[in-house]
Amino acid sequence: GQSLEQPSEVTAVEGAIVQINCTYQTSGFYGLSWYQQHDGGAPTFLSYNGLDGLEETGRFSSFLSRSDSYGYLLLQELQMKDSASYFCAVDAGGYQKVTFGTGTKLQVIP
Amino acid sequence: DGGITQSPKYLFRKEGQNVTLSCEQNLNHDAMYWYRQDPGQGLRLIYYSQIVNDFQKGDIAEGYSVSREKKESFPLTVTSAQKNPTAFYLCASSIRQGGTYGYTFGSGTRLTVV
């Protein structure tokens, strides 16, 4: 089976940088995705890492180390609107094998 | 604009009732999924469908049923056999298998048993 671990809550100051970690154990691995979800809303796709290294999209970056079964989402220049839950998701191959973590609730404070 | 429409936004079910949640997409995506989200838990897969007239059980399919008669539509029925149906239900679609291109989610249906 698959299991993912990420911190349940993180608090950071507006304008700062925050890193949300995700470690995983899977029987197969194709890639790691990140999603953002505001309270009561729909998750939105942020990024996908299929290979080791850093992927940058504006203020958000995502990193993957396949040898360490580890990835992280880096948010820079934090804004109040970044307060949301962030989920990592492992793609272990096939339609049914995208497994989501339990989410990290990020609170951005002034 | 393309997207996924879920309805209703809120739904109340009496004990012993079946209810159906609607999910429609105009993204021309082949794959569609139903997830359940409970507080403090991740998204758990109920059912998924790769093509019309084909669907497969996910991790928590008991007490649920689906159909895929049209590419655009993937309704979920919560039956009376589902003992704890109160949850937030999310429908998603993807252009092809796997997570590479990401899932597009609908805005969800919040189901409450009364």
Side-chain angles (χ1 to χ4, degrees):
Chain A
Q2 289 84 29
S3 69
L4 294 90
E5 285 193 22
Q6 50 182 132
S8 58
E9 294 182 357
V10 172
T11 300
V13 177
E14 188 177 15
I17 299 172
V18 71
Q19 178 175 311
I20 299 174
N21 299 322
C22 175
T23 57
Y24 58 86
Q25 289 185 317
T26 63
S27 54
F29 183 84
Y30 276 52
L32 186 73
S33 304
W34 288 92
Y35 288 79
Q36 178 193 62
Q37 184 182 31
H38 288 96
D39 281 347
T44 56
F45 174 68
L46 294 176
S47 67
Y48 179 85
N49 293 69
L51 301 173
D52 286 356
L54 191 69
E55 295 280 345
E56 298 181 69
T57 309
R59 294 188 297 114
F60 292 4
S61 302
S62 57
F63 173 82
L64 175 66
S65 169
R66 295 169 68 116
S67 60
D68 295 323
S69 298
Y70 163 75
Y72 66 72
L73 180 69
L74 190 74
L75 294 81
Q76 303 182 72
E77 302 173 13
L78 280 172
Q79 302 175 8
M80 299 300 291
K81 67 178 182 180
D82 297 330
S83 293
S85 292
Y86 292 84
F87 294 87
C88 59
V90 165
D91 174 10
Y95 283 93
Q96 71 168 331
K97 296 189 185 298
V98 174
T99 301
F100 286 81
T102 54
T104 297
K105 190 172 179 68
L106 171 64
Q107 183 181 12
V108 180
I109 59 175
Chain B
D1 287 338
I4 296 183
T5 301
Q6 288 188 243
S7 62
K9 190 172 178 66
Y10 299 96
L11 186 58
F12 298 90
R13 192 195 92 167
K14 294 181 179 179
E15 296 281 352
Q17 258 187 347
N18 291 356
V19 291
T20 298
L21 284 59
S22 171
C23 177
E24 303 277 334
Q25 56 103 353
N26 60 2
L27 299 165
N28 200 33
H29 285 175
D30 287 318
M32 296 188 74
Y33 316 82
W34 273 105
Y35 284 89
R36 169 179 172 143
Q37 187 174 31
D38 295 283
Q41 298 193 34
L43 283 68
R44 293 184 290 167
L45 182 64
I46 305 173
Y47 268 98
Y48 67 100
S49 169
Q50 301 178 29
I51 56 173
V52 173
N53 293 322
D54 180 73
F55 48 83
Q56 304 296 328
K57 292 181 179 180
D59 299 321
I60 56 166
E62 185 175 352
Y64 300 97
S65 66
V66 293
S67 63
R68 185 88 186 273
E69 298 177 0
K70 299 187 299 181
K71 186 175 185 178
E72 302 78 18
S73 179
F74 192 42
L76 173 75
T77 297
V78 184
T79 75
S80 57
Q82 171 49 239
K83 298 307 178 188
N84 184 23
T86 295
F88 189 47
Y89 291 87
L90 287 159
C91 179
S93 70
S94 62
I95 192 167
R96 55 178 65 101
Q97 69 180 11
T100 310
Y101 298 95
Y103 288 3
T104 300
F105 283 86
S107 55
T109 293
R110 193 166 297 278
L111 174 63
T112 304
V113 173
V114 296

